[in-house]
C-alpha cells in the first residue's frame, strides 16, 4: 500500500484540488496498488477537515500548529509501506 499524507492548516480553498490530483494520479497508475489518503488537520478554523472527510480522506487532528508535528501525526496512522508527503496547496501531475 502507498500512503499519501497531506498536512493542512486552513486549506479549504486548496484541499479539494490537491486530493483530486492524488486520486487522479493514483488511478492513472494502477501498478502502484492500493492507496490511502491521510489529511492532518493542523488546528484549522475553516472547513479543511470537513472537505477532506467528504472527499474520502482519513482525517487526523494535530492541535499544535507545527508542520513537523502535522506530518508525524499523519505518518503515525499511515499503513502504507511508503508514505508520500504533499502539501495541501500542491497538486500532482
Amino acid at each position: 500500500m502507498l500512503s499519501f499524507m497531506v498536512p493542512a492548516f486552513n486549506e479549504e480553498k486548496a484541499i479539494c484540488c490537491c486530493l483530486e490530483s492524488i486520486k487522479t494520479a493514483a488511478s492513472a497508475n494502477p501498478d502502484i496498488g492500493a492507496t490511502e489518503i491521510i489529511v492532518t488537520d493542523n488546528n484549522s478554523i475553516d472547513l479543511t477537515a470537513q472537505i477532506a472527510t467528504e472527499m474520502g480522506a482519513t482525517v487526523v487532528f494535530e492541535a499544535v500548529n507545527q508542520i513537523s508535528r502535522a506530518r508525524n501525526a499523519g505518518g503515525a496512522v499511515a499503513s502504507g509501506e511508503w508514505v508520500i508527503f504533499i502539501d495541501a496547496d500542491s497538486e500532482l501531475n
Side-chain angles (χ1 to χ4, degrees):
M1 177 178 288
L2 185 62
S3 299
F4 290 92
M5 206 338 271
V6 184
F9 172 69
N10 291 339
E11 294 287 355
E12 70 180 6
K13 293 180 180 173
I15 194 73
C16 186
C17 291
C18 176
L19 299 182
E20 282 297 333
S21 77
I22 293 169
K23 291 177 183 183
T24 299
S27 66
N29 295 283
D31 292 341
I32 64 173
T35 61
E36 68 178 345
I37 301 173
I38 302 163
V39 173
T40 301
D41 174 18
N42 201 197
N43 207 21
S44 299
I45 57 171
D46 64 2
L47 298 175
T48 298
Q50 180 181 334
I51 293 167
T53 299
E54 290 171 357
M55 293 190 67
T58 299
V59 177
V60 296
F61 180 74
E62 171 54 53
V64 177
N65 293 94
Q66 187 179 54
I67 190 70
S68 60
R69 288 183 64 115
R71 288 182 181 136
N72 289 339
V77 301
S79 56
E81 182 178 348
W82 292 89
V83 179
I84 297 174
F85 293 92
I86 180 172
D87 290 337
D89 60 354
S90 299
E91 295 178 39
L92 296 176
N93 291 328

